[in-house]
């Protein structure tokens, strides 16, 4: 009887081992297969968190997954892209079998193979931007003057100035800015770390918003700021964040931790 039970235990043990082995092989095979398809099809993520794989296996699977969807993101100041740049982007995407995706304020070629990326970058001939990192990201700007009849201030000019001055500045966390020419706020100014909208009397400055995991709405910190004084005002907000922000903390979280009134008094914009 004991012999029969032991044999049953043994066969169950080996059956489970074989089943786990087959499942892992099947997942890896599927990932390798998807990696050979166009980017739109190969955009997959396998959740390894609860599957009990070894650290090494998780890492290998994640790397395979990432390599299958390598992005190339041209840096666009204020989201502006000339027809010449757009044609070039399309030609590169076509040549290397990528796909173009409009992602927020960016345009991205997805699905490039790792061995093609450096070559594609060289042929593209313009700067790329990182979608990661604790820095100031590209400024989002609405259509604005002269294209939108509602514009009360030149949001494009201001967006370009902010981008030139602050893009890439290192900070405790990432920082997104948005500029709108009027209170309609087409560049989602209340969910940017720093948002601005134009009024007849100047710019309204909003701080502390974000649309990430811990989403929060920004709050108005100054009104009727003359266009020429906006960049110096943003310098003060960024200096506050550099001084008081903790690693990984968004501006809004720093403001909440230290107090909104203290923040406004500290930057002294109005
Ligand atoms: S925010 Fe105002 S100015 Fe800008 S595109 Fe929207 S409506 Fe036009």
């Amino acid at each position: 009887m004991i012999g029969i039970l032991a044999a049953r235990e043994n066969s169950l043990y080996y059956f489970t081992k074989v089943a786990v082995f087959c499942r892992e092989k099947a997942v890896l095979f599927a990932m390798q297969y998807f990696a050979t398809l166009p980017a739109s099809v190969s955009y997959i993520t396998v959740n390894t968190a609860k599957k009990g794989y070894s650290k090494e296996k998780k890492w290998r699977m994640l790397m395979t997954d990432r390599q299958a969807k390598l992005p190339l993101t041209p840096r666009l100041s204020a989201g502006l892209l000339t027809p010449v740049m757009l044609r070039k982007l399309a030609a590169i995407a076509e040549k290397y079998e990528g796909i173009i995706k409009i992602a927020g304020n960016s345009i991205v070629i997805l699905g490039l193979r790792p061995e093609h990326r450096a070559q594609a970058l060289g042929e593209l001939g313009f700067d790329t931007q990182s979608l990661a990192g604790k820095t100031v990201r590209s400024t989002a700007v609405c259509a604005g003057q002269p294209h939108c009849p509602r514009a009360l201030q030149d949001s494009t000019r201001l967006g370009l100035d902010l981008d030139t001055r602050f893009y890439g500045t290192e900070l405790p966390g990432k920082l997104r800015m948005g500029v709108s020419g009027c209170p309609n706020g087409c560049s989602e100014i209340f969910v940017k770390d720093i948002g601005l909208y134009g009024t007849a009397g100047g710019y309204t400055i909003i701080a502390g918003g974000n649309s990430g995991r811990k989403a929060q709405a920004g709050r108005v910190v100054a009104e009727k700021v003359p266009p020429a004084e906006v960049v110096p005002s943003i310098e003060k907000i960024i200096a506050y964040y550099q001084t008081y922000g903790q690693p990984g903390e968004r501006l809004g979280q720093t403001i909440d931790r230290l107090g909104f009134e203290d923040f406004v008094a500290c930057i002294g914009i109005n």
Side-chain angles (χ1 to χ4, degrees):
M1 186 63 182
I2 291 171
I4 293 170
L5 281 174
R8 198 176 133 219
E9 284 288 302
N10 265 349
S11 48
L12 260 176
Y13 173 78
Y14 286 115
F15 177 77
T16 311
K17 277 270 180 204
V18 169
V20 168
F21 176 79
C22 290
R23 187 185 67 178
E24 290 181 0
K25 281 286 169 210
V27 170
L28 280 173
F29 174 78
M31 291 179 76
Q32 280 157 4
Y33 170 71
F34 278 118
T36 66
L37 297 178
S40 54
V41 186
S42 68
Y43 202 90
I44 57 168
T45 299
V46 173
N47 178 10
T48 59
K50 296 177 187 166
K51 293 187 188 297
Y53 294 138
S54 69
K55 262 188 183 172
E56 190 196 334
K57 178 147 282 190
K58 282 180 188 174
W59 179 84
R60 208 149 43 91
M61 291 172 79
L62 283 168
M63 286 313 290
T64 309
D65 188 26
R66 278 180 193 157
Q67 283 167 4
K69 56 178 184 181
L70 216 53
L72 184 62
T73 311
R75 169 159 145 58
L76 307 178
S77 285
L80 296 171
L81 187 69
T82 66
V84 172
M85 289 164 81
L86 193 55
R87 274 195 287 273
K88 211 165 187 182
L89 205 67
I92 300 281
E94 193 169 32
K95 180 174 176 183
Y96 295 106
E97 300 177 340
I99 189 163
I100 294 176
K101 169 98 175 72
I102 309 289
N105 193 41
S106 309
I107 186 163
V108 190
I109 303 179
L110 291 174
L112 294 183
R113 303 210 167 282
E115 63 271 25
H116 291 157
R117 194 171 183 276
Q119 208 173 335
L121 192 57
E123 288 175 26
L124 199 58
F126 37 89
D127 286 348
T128 55
Q129 66 165 329
S130 168
L131 294 178
K134 295 172 181 175
T135 59
V136 177
R137 307 293 176 81
S138 283
T139 305
V141 180
C142 74
Q145 288 179 358
H147 313 290
C148 178
R150 293 184 191 275
L152 298 168
Q153 297 289 340
D154 189 349
S155 52
T156 306
R157 179 69 269 150
L158 178 59
L160 288 168
D161 289 348
L162 291 172
D163 220 48
T164 304
R165 172 67 185 81
F166 298 110
Y167 175 80
T169 303
E170 293 196 0
L171 296 168
K174 68 180 166 192
L175 186 135
R176 296 186 194 282
M177 288 193 275
V179 188
S180 290
C182 82
N184 279 358
C186 295
S187 51
E188 301 176 330
I189 46 183
F190 276 93
V191 288
K192 298 286 192 256
D193 299 275
I194 299 175
L196 301 114
Y197 68 82
T199 65
Y203 278 97
T204 296
I205 301 179
I206 299 150
N210 86 76
S211 58
R213 280 175 187 237
K214 296 172 185 165
Q216 59 186 132
R219 284 181 273 182
V220 172
V221 295
E223 292 176 297
K224 297 182 181 171
V225 179
E229 289 176 24
V230 169
V231 172
S233 300
I234 303 305
E235 270 171 2
K236 291 176 185 169
I237 296 176
I238 287 182
Y240 167 91
Y241 186 34
Q242 280 172 325
T243 306
Y244 299 109
Q246 291 180 348
E249 192 174 57
R250 296 289 288 262
L251 174 62
Q253 293 160 354
T254 308
I255 294 171
D256 284 352
R257 181 168 53 79
L258 299 176
F260 183 72
E261 285 71 26
D262 285 355
F263 163 66
V264 174
C266 185
I267 57 173
I269 295 178
N270 258 341

